[in-house]
Structures are given as structure tokens and as C-alpha cells.
Amino acid sequence: MRKQSFSVKWDAKIKRQNYDLHNVFGFYALIILLVVAMTGMYDQNTGARLSNTSAYAAPFERVDFATKVQKLNYDLHVGSARGGIWGRVLYFFITIIGASLPITGFLV
């Protein structure tokens, strides 16, 4: 039963494939989509140039935990916090999956 729930049965009929794609890809994309959604609600990147007296201008190692979280918020939102360009590519494909979930859910 567990294998059926977490994998796509590619040799099934199209309706079953759509159901599996909706459930499996939605499940695997859930965590990253939640990170994108939560960091998007608290996005403080205004595009303004930072002054040297700002908390954001301080070196990353010398600030407290709350300021580190604020500084990492935008990088987490766009996927470049750990993966650079590959993290952004991964986020792109996962958000495409997230955008397809209402369509595949309607077809289910």
C-alpha cells in the first residue's frame, strides 16, 4: 500500500496517472512550497540600498539569530540560500508543480 501511495504507476490508464501525479508530486513538493509561501508573507526585500549602519550591513557571523533569519528570508524565498542557481532551478520546477496541482485536482 505504501509503494502505491508514494509512486506514480506509469503503465496505468490516464485517469490513474493523473491521480498519482497529483498526489505524489503534491506530497513531495509540499515542504518547499510551504517555505516559499511562508517566506513570501514576510518578505522585507524592498530593493532599497542598505546603509552601513543597518543591521543587514553587519557581517553575517556577528549578528543575532533573529537578524540572521531576516537576512536569509529572501534567499529562502527564491531558493538561493544553499543551492545558488541550482536551488533556484529546483524552486522553479517545484512551483510549476504547485501551479499544476489545481488543474490536476480539477481533473481528478
Side-chain angles (χ1 to χ4, degrees):
M1 179 69 178
R2 191 173 286 176
K3 185 178 180 189
Q4 276 184 321
S5 298
F6 295 108
S7 63
V8 177
K9 189 174 180 182
W10 293 107
D11 58 345
K13 293 184 179 182
I14 191 74
K15 192 162 184 134
R16 173 60 192 242
Q17 282 181 354
N18 181 47
Y19 178 76
D20 284 347
L21 287 171
H22 178 79
N23 286 338
V24 173
F25 287 170
F27 175 76
Y28 288 128
L30 176 67
I31 297 202
I32 293 181
L33 288 173
L34 282 174
V35 168
V36 170
M38 293 298 149
T39 56
M41 290 191 311
Y42 188 69
D43 186 16
Q44 289 190 0
N45 185 16
T46 60
R49 188 163 274 237
L50 300 174
S51 65
N52 287 338
T53 59
S54 170
Y56 293 105
F60 190 78
E61 295 80 23
R62 293 192 307 175
V63 295
D64 61 345
F65 178 73
T67 307
K68 285 182 182 182
V69 169
Q70 287 179 340
K71 290 174 86 167
L72 282 173
N73 185 56
Y74 180 75
D75 289 336
L76 285 172
H77 184 67
V78 298
S80 62
R82 289 287 183 186
I85 188 68
W86 296 112
R88 289 181 179 202
V89 169
L90 176 69
Y91 268 38
F92 171 75
F93 285 114
I94 288 179
T95 53
I96 292 295
I97 290 170
S100 72
L101 287 176
I103 297 166
T104 58
F106 177 75
L107 295 175
V108 168

